[in-house]
Amino acid sequence: MPSNKSVSDAPIVQFTNCRILRSHQLQREDLWVREGKILNPEKLFFDEKGSADIQLDCKDSIIAPGFIDVQINGGFGVDFSLATDDFKAGIDLVSQKILSHGVTSFCPTLVTSPPSVYHQVLPQISIRDGGAHGAGILGAHLEGPFISREKKGAHPEHCLRTFEAGAFQDLLATYGSLDCVRIVTLAPEMKRSSEVIRELTKQGICVSLGHSVANLSQAEEAVQHGATFITHLFNAMLPFHHRDPGIVGLLTSDKIPSGRRVFYGMISDGIHTNPAALRIAHRAHPKGLVLVTDAIAGMGLAPGRHTLGQQVVEIDGLNTYIAGTKTLSGSVATMDTCVRHFQEATGCSVETALEAASLHPAQLLGIEHKKGTLNYDSDADFLMLNNGLYVQATYIAGEEVWRQDALGM
């Protein structure tokens, strides 16, 4: 086959016999990849007079962008909120294991912890590309400690903090550094939160509202100052009330600044949110829905006692509670499970379900030009799935990093 090597010597791979999720639709066309990027075949044919070096038959699989999990506390026995000597080995293990669930990028999440934990753990989290070693790390998600006591959920009360006179300096002193931080969850009703939201946003950090008793006007004010996300909608916030819908009201608020979109995380595990509530949120604001696992160290392990930061949690089936209570504490659902449950619960299209775990989190983080889509020139992070949305293979930068063995399919 003729191929023009003047542009690049790298091999061109053509994925055939597949349905590609592009422009919100599954399209029957081939996917072309070179040097970790998705190629425009027209440019290849007409400008370079090139063709494929390798052809792969996808056997009618769906090809979708890799999943992006922006809230994951750990998994497989690893807890990101514990300062251990082998923290790096732990984060490597999780990034490797989640490849089989279709996650190609993630934000390791720390729940409310003492300052000493942030000071030890955060310097050990480095933003990095994914590959055969595991999913890419987009930066840390710090959930707390600047949250409401009334809606602390599974967060340890003795570690909660408020903003004092030098609000942003308080935050810096607590975390130690913001170098690798991508998302901060805080309660917007706290005094001085507005200046903190403005400063974090100025530094390119996504501010999420959660674990909060904020009313709607407080939530709208936070969005006007730069907040763009809601942490696990419905969980750890005031329930919807028709006279003041609270943070939930942001989904249909007319006070969102022009050109801005509020996104919201949903734990679609069949436990944290009733399917009817999932449907209400999806129908009210479909383009803002971001699937998150909120997975804890017990994900992938047998039922029993595990940790979530400073707390002991108990896993019973898909339920996870703070030991000795009925307080829910994170999830043990995997991202591919959440995608399937979301599609089943809402009756949405396959395309919509897949975009809630890929395009929407990429848009939230402002990386949709390279992640979360299969557009030309974007990163070739993608999945092969069957019609039941079970992951068959995971690719990062065009390289296969995980494949379901033939017996397991």
Side-chain angles (χ1 to χ4, degrees), residues 187-191 193-194 197 209 212-225 227 238 244 246-247 250:
E189 71 275 14
M190 295 181 82
K191 283 182 184 168
S193 66
S194 293
I197 293 169
L209 312 179
S212 162
V213 293
N215 59 33
L216 178 57
S217 65
Q218 288 168 324
E220 288 170 334
E221 188 183 343
V223 170
Q224 285 151 12
H225 285 121
L238 292 176
D244 191 336
I247 289 177
L250 287 175

Side-chain angles (χ1 to χ4, degrees), residues 272-286:
H272 279 78
T273 313
N274 185 284
L278 200 52
R279 288 192 285 273
I280 287 170
H282 174 245
R283 289 174 192 176
H285 184 27

Side-chain angles (χ1 to χ4, degrees), residues 33-76:
V33 174
R34 177 174 61 197
E35 290 188 315
K37 300 285 182 186
I38 292 167
L39 277 183
N40 180 344
E42 284 194 12
K43 278 190 180 173
L44 176 68
F45 300 151
F46 297 113
D47 298 351
E48 300 182 33
K49 307 289 189 284
S51 58
D53 298 293
I54 303 163
Q55 280 189 326
L56 291 175
D57 182 350
C58 301
K59 301 189 169 90
D60 205 36
S61 295
I62 292 169
I63 293 190
F67 298 149
I68 299 170
D69 193 350
V70 299
Q71 188 177 7
I72 171 171
N73 311 289
F76 315 101

